[in-house]
C-alpha cells in the first residue's frame, strides 16, 4: 500500500509524545516509516514555586497537535484519518499527578523539573539503599507527606503524564514498565514495582493512618507488546474534536520519553545505549548486570521490555545555547541582515570545531534550572573566564557545547571508568545533534566512545512510541530488541563518529576546570 491507501485502510499507526516544549504526533506506515506529523508548542509555568503544566494545557495541546496532524494528512493525501491499527502515548517521565476518587486532580501537576523533594529523596534513598532521584513520583509523594499536605489523604490514583493521558482516553489505569520505573524502583525479574521497597514505604507511612497503601494508588505495570486497552468513544472525541476518528483502536502501554528514546535509537539490547540531548539530556545504558552499589548521579530504570538501565539525567542541556544564539540573531537584525536560524545555528556550531580542544579555559554552566547531579537545587546560567583565557568565538561556542553535556559526562564517567560498564554502541538523538557531525564529535570526546546518529534521529520520541504501538500489533512472537533490530532498523546503525584523541584530552582538561569551579555556580545560584 502507498501512504494514502494505508491511512484509508486504517492500517497507519500513531505515536504522540508530550515533550517539555513540544507535543508531537507522528503517523507511520506498515514499514514503520513516518508519513505525516503534527505538533503543538507549549511551555511549563512556575506556579507557587513549582513547575507545572495545567490539565487544560494538556488537553488543548493534544487536540491541537492531532488537528495539525489531520491537516497534514489532508494536505498530503486528501483523506481523513477514520481509524488506525494502533496508538501509543508517551510523555516526560517522573513527576506527580495525584487524583481523588472522582478523577479530579488534587494539586497542579508537578513535573520532573522540580527540585523541592530533597528531604524525601534522601530519606527514601537511605531506606531503600537505592538512589531515589528528586524528580521520581515516590519522592514527590513522600515530600507531600513530610510537608503535611492535606490532599494526600484523598489520593485514589497516582500516575505520570503519559499514564494520565492514556487513562483518560482508554479508561485503563496502567503504565509501561519503563515509565513505572521512574515512579518507584521496578524489579527487573518480576517487571513490576519492587515488592520489598513497596513494603518498606507502607511501613514508613503507616503512622499517618492513610486509607490507602502504595499499590492501591499506583497504575498496573505492563511491558512492551502487551495490550493496554482500546480507545473509548469519549477518548476518540477528546483526541479528535472533528469527530472523524473512531473508537476501538488498540493502544499500547504508555511510556516515558526515556523508553521511547531507546526504541527510536534501537537501544534496548544489553550493551547498547543512547543519549537524548535537547532541552534536558539523559543517557541510557542497558546493563548486563546490576552496578556494584548505588550512586547519587545514576538512576536505575528499565527498557520498555523491563531490562535494567543505568540512566544519567540532567535537567539542563541546550536552553542556554539557544539563548546565546538568540543574542546573535538580535545582532544580525541590528545590522539589518536577514536571519535564517538553521543557518545561524549551523555556522556557530561548526565554528566550535575550530576552537581549542579545552575551549581555551572558558567554562559554561548551562543551569537554567537546578541540577541535582551536581547538587544544585536552583540554577543560574553562567559563563566563566579569566583574563588570560583565549576568548574567541570558536572557544566560546565550544565551551557552550561542552557545557551542555558536562553534567552528562560526570555521570557517565562513573559507569565507564569506575564500574567498567561495557557498551558496544551509543546512539545520539535530539536537537544537540541537528548540525551534522558537531554534537556527535563533542559527545564522542566527552564519553571517549564512538557515537552514532541515525537519519531518523530527528523523529524522536513520538516515532519511538509509534514503534512500540507497532510492536504490540505486529510482534509475531519476537522480542522487542529483535523486532527493532530486524524489522524496523534492518541492521542500519547510522553514521558513526569516533573520538578524536586531542578532543578527548581537551574535554578532560575542560571538565577538570568545570568541577573545580562549581562553587562559583553555587554562589551565583544562591545570590540571584
Amino acid at each position: 500500500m502507498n501512504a494514502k491507501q494505508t491511512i484509508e485502510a486504517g492500517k497507519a499507526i500513531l505515536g504522540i509524545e508530550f515533550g517539555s516544549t513540544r507535543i508531537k504526533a507522528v503517523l507511520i506506515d506498515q514499514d514503520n516509516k513516518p508519513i505525516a506529523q503534527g505538533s503543538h508548542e507549549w511551555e511549563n509555568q512556575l506556579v507557587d514555586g513549582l513547575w507545572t503544566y495545567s490539565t487544560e494545557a494538556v488537553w488543548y495541546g493534544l487536540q491541537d497537535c492531532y488537528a495539525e496532524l489531520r491537516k497534514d494528512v489532508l494536505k498530503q493525501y486528501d483523506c481523513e484519518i477514520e481509524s488506525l491499527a494502533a496508538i501509543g502515548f508517551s510523555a516526560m517521565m517522573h513527576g506527580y499527578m495525584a487524583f481523588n476518587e472522582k478523577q479530579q486532580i488534587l494539586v497542579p501537576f508537578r513535573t520532573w523539573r522540580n527540585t523541592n523533594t530533597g528531604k524525601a529523596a534522601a530519606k527514601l534513598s537511605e531506606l531503600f539503599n537505592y538512589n531515589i532521584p528528586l524528580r521520581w513520583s515516590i519522592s514527590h509523594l513522600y515530600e507531600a507527606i513530610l510537608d503535611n499536605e492535606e490532599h494526600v489523604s484523598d489520593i485514589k490514583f497516582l500516575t505520570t503524564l503519559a499514564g494520565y493521558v492514556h487513562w483518560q482516553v482508554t479508561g485503563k489505569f496502567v503504565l509501561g514498565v519503563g515509565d513505572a520505573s521512574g515512579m518507584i524502583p521496578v524489579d527487573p525479574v518480576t517487571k513490576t514495582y519492587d515488592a520489598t521497597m513497596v513494603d518498606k514505604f507502607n511501613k514508613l507511612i503507616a503512622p499517618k493512618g492513610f486509607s490507602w497503601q502504595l499499590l492501591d494508588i499506583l497504575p498496573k505495570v505492563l511491558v512492551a507488546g502487551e495490550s493496554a486497552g482500546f480507545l473509548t468513544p469519549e477518548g476518540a472525541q477528546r483526541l479528535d474534536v472533528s469527530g472523524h476518528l473512531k473508537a476501538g483502536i488498540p493502544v499500547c502501554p504508555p511510556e516515558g520519553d526515556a523508553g521511547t528514546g531507546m526504541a527510536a535509537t534501537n537501544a534496548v539490547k544489553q550493551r547498547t545505549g543512547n543519549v537524548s540531548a535537547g532541552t534536558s539530556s539523559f543517557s541510557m545504558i542497558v546493563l548486563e548486570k546490576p552496578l556494584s552499589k548505588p550512586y547519587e548521579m545514576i538512576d536505575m530504570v528499565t527498557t520498555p521490555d523491563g531490562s535494567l538501565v543505568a540512566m544519567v539525567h540532567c535537567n539542563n542541556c541546550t536552553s542556554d545555547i539557544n539563548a546565546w544564539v538568540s543574542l546573535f540573531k538580535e545582532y544580525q537584525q541590528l545590522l539589518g541582515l536577514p536571519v535564517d536560524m538553521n543557518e545561524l545555528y549551523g555556522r556557530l556550531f561548526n565554528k566550535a570545531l575550530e576552537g581549542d580542544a579545552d575551549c581555551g579555559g572558558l567554562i559554561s554552566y548551562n543551569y537554567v534550572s537546578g541540577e541535582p547531579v551536581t547538587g544544585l537545587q536552583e540554577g543560574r546560567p553562567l559563563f566563566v573566564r579569566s583574563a588570560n583565557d583565549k576568548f574567541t568565538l570558536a572557544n566560546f561556542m565550544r565551551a557552550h557545547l561542552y557545557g551542555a553535556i558536562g553534567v552528562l559526562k560526570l555521570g557517565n564517567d562513573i559507569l565507564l571508568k569506575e564500574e567498567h560498564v561495557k557498551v558496544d554502541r551509543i546512539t545520539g538523538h535530539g536537537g544537540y545533534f541537528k548540525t551534522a557531525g558537531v554534537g556527535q564529535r563533542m559527545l564522542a570526546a566527552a564519553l571517549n566512545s564512538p557515537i552514532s546518529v541515525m537519519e531518523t534521529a530527528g523523529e524522536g520520541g513520538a516515532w519511538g512510541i509509534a514503534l512500540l504501538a507497532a510492536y504490540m500489533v505486529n510482534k509475531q512472537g519476537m522480542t522487542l530488541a529483535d523486532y527493532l533490530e530486524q524489522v524496523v532498523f534492518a541492521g542500519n546503525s547510522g553514521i558513526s563518529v569516533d573520538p578524536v584523541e586531542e578532543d578527548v584530552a581537551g574535554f578532560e582538561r575542560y571538565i577538570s576546570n568545570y568541577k573545580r569551579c562549581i562553587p562559583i555556580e553555587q554562589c551565583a545560584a544562591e545570590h540571584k
Side-chain angles (χ1 to χ4, degrees), residues 430-449:
Y432 185 81
F433 303 102
K434 189 171 181 180
T435 301
V438 180
Q440 256 183 295
R441 180 169 163 181
M442 302 300 168
L443 186 62
L447 303 186
N448 193 17
S449 171

Side-chain angles (χ1 to χ4, degrees), residues 16-20 22-24 42 57-59 61-62 89-92 161-162 165 257:
I16 296 179
E17 180 160 282
F18 291 76
S20 56
R22 183 172 64 152
I23 304 169
K24 184 176 180 181
W42 71 338
V58 170
W59 294 110
L62 176 65
F89 297 97
S90 64
M92 301 166 279
L161 178 55
V165 173
D257 50 1

Side-chain angles (χ1 to χ4, degrees), residues 319-428:
S319 294
D320 196 35
I321 293 176
N322 295 341
W324 282 106
V325 173
S326 292
L327 193 70
F328 288 116
K329 171 191 171 184
E330 283 190 50
Y331 176 68
Q332 278 193 242
Q333 290 172 328
L334 184 65
L335 297 178
L337 300 174
V339 180
D340 180 320
M341 291 305 289
N342 286 329
E343 181 184 9
L344 184 56
Y345 270 100
R347 285 181 177 269
L348 289 171
F349 271 48
N350 277 295
K351 188 67 178 177
L353 297 177
E354 301 173 19
D356 295 315
D358 62 357
C359 306
L362 311 182
I363 306 172
S364 166
Y365 294 99
N366 63 336
Y367 297 8
V368 173
S369 63
E371 193 56 81
V373 173
T374 47
L376 275 85
Q377 289 205 10
E378 291 189 59
R380 187 171 192 172
L382 195 64
F383 174 65
V384 181
R385 69 184 181 100
S386 69
N388 295 323
D389 290 337
K390 299 176 183 175
F391 189 29
T392 65
L393 178 60
N395 282 338
F396 177 83
M397 286 307 302
R398 194 174 185 116
H400 280 87
L401 286 167
Y402 276 15
I405 54 173
V407 178
L408 197 71
K409 175 177 171 56
L410 296 177
N412 278 278
D413 277 354
I414 294 172
L415 294 174
L416 303 176
K417 295 180 179 179
E418 296 183 31
E419 288 284 335
H420 304 292
V421 170
K422 302 299 182 188
V423 188
D424 297 328
R425 182 182 74 240
I426 298 177
T427 305

